[in-house]
Amino acid sequence: IPHPFIKGEHAEFFREDLGDLEEILTFYLNNDAAREAVAKSGHGHLKSYHSTTARMKYLLDWVRQYTGVVIG
């Protein structure tokens, strides 16, 4: 998927075994500004690149690029 979410910028990710879950949660619970910045940035990124409209545009652009077929 193009335009992935970036750890610490748009979202937060945890290890599969959740070994870092408590540390990351504690950090964000104690750092309002960091938590709000990631939330705001992530929401904007989601709306820009991962909405239904954005995904469909990506798909149609891909079809046009690789097949020459213009849809719509």
Side-chain angles (χ1 to χ4, degrees):
I1 296 173
H3 308 290
F5 289 91
I6 297 171
K7 179 179 175 58
E9 184 177 335
H10 305 123
E12 195 57 70
F13 304 97
F14 310 103
R15 291 194 328 235
E16 193 170 323
D17 68 0
L18 302 179
D20 58 350
L21 177 66
E22 184 176 356
E23 177 184 351
I24 293 170
L25 289 178
T26 299
F27 172 78
Y28 283 108
L29 286 171
N30 292 322
N31 292 280
D32 294 345
R35 182 180 67 244
E36 290 170 12
V38 170
K40 183 176 182 178
S41 178
H43 186 248
H45 186 82
L46 174 75
K47 287 174 51 177
S48 295
Y49 299 109
H50 300 287
S51 67
T52 304
T53 302
R55 290 282 179 98
M56 185 53 67
K57 181 182 180 320
Y58 170 77
L59 175 62
L60 294 175
D61 288 346
W62 185 91
V63 168
R64 182 175 26 257
Q65 180 181 353
Y66 289 100
T67 68
V69 174
V70 177
I71 302 171

